[in-house]
Amino acid sequence: MSAVGELTQMVSSRKKGGAKEKHPDNKSALVFMLPWLVGLLGITLIPMIASFALAFTDYSLLAPPEFVGLANIKEMISDTRLHNSLVVTFIYVFVGTPLQLVMALLLAVVLNQGIKGLAFYRSIFYLPSLLGGSVAIAILWRQMFGANGLINQVAGMIGFENLPGWVSNPDTALSTIILLHVWTFGSPMIIFLAGLRQIPEMYYEAASVDGASKVAQFFRITIPLLTPIIFFNVVLQVINAFQSFTQAFVVSGGTGGPSDSTMFYTLYLYQKGFTQFDMGYASAMAWLLLIIVAIFTAINFFVSKFWVFYDD
């Protein structure tokens, strides 16, 4: 075969290949997506639709649901325990989340100084995020802050006397759970550390030449360039904090006590749905929580345009 013939055959084969590429076969992609689609429908969309319908019913799990219109919403307006659970949850979110992010950022800055064994320290500091939401850690936390717990024993060795049981005191019980939330700083810390690694070193070198101190460099260079990462962590951690449940359930023994001082909104929702079997009311509460989270997320996105700075 001549060179011209071989060239012609190659061009024609490429055209055929290109024609096939215009109509790719997506069956294999759909097969790989099938588990996700099943989960989306069976675990998310269908239950959401069902809970929205149940929010307008009186449903006890033991009898067919009975349509009651807006009765659940009217009851929520006058429910003082629900109002208290919202206050407790707001305190937990708006005190615990900023403290957690400050701790995460400070440790990320320390780890970004080029210390030896960075991978080891990064793994150790990340562990609380993996374990902090577990039942085992919540039980350990309750024992540590009990009347005869480790915290009071150590404080007694220093000289303190007549210390209360921190988890059994209405004035301090919520603070112990907030402290547990702050302790789970590992996940945002890793994200902060990744963001710090992306800041060009030349900015700090130029600032040093101009005589800027480390503190000035932190507030004039690090914080502005890290605002997209801060915004991401704020949105993510606020959403997660609103959904916190295990810590309050285990530390309070499922009661939200003492005196409803640890009655998180999710814990009260659980009590309504699975203890009192008022599933219609619990469904209405779930949708109220969704609306609250959506509102605060929208506020975060709206306010972000005033303080978040991007490269463009």
Side-chain angles (χ1 to χ4, degrees), residues 228-296:
I229 305 299
I230 297 174
F231 170 65
F232 175 80
N233 271 331
V234 166
V235 172
L236 199 63
Q237 296 307 317
V238 165
I239 293 174
N240 289 337
F242 269 114
Q243 301 178 73
S244 294
F245 169 78
T246 304
Q247 299 91 329
F249 179 83
V250 175
V251 170
S252 68
T255 64
S259 302
D260 283 350
S261 60
T262 60
M263 180 63 77
F264 284 13
Y265 187 86
T266 52
L267 179 55
Y268 187 49
L269 189 155
Y270 169 84
Q271 289 184 354
K272 277 293 186 179
F274 297 97
T275 302
Q276 302 176 22
F277 297 106
D278 193 351
M279 192 58 68
Y281 190 77
S283 298
M285 287 184 62
W287 276 93
L288 176 60
L289 179 61
L290 175 64
I291 293 172
I292 292 173
V293 172
I295 289 174
F296 280 104

Side-chain angles (χ1 to χ4, degrees), residues 100 128-129 131-133 179-188 237 247:
Q100 181 197 54
S129 288
L131 303 176
L179 185 60
L180 175 56
H181 180 64
V182 174
W183 181 66
T184 60
F185 56 80
S187 178
Q237 296 307 317
Q247 299 91 329

Side-chain angles (χ1 to χ4, degrees), residues 60-82:
S60 63
L61 293 177
L62 303 176
E66 179 182 353
F67 181 76
V68 293
L70 301 178
N72 289 326
I73 299 175
K74 294 178 181 178
E75 183 179 351
M76 290 167 63
I77 296 175
S78 59
D79 190 345
T80 56
R81 292 195 75 194
L82 184 145

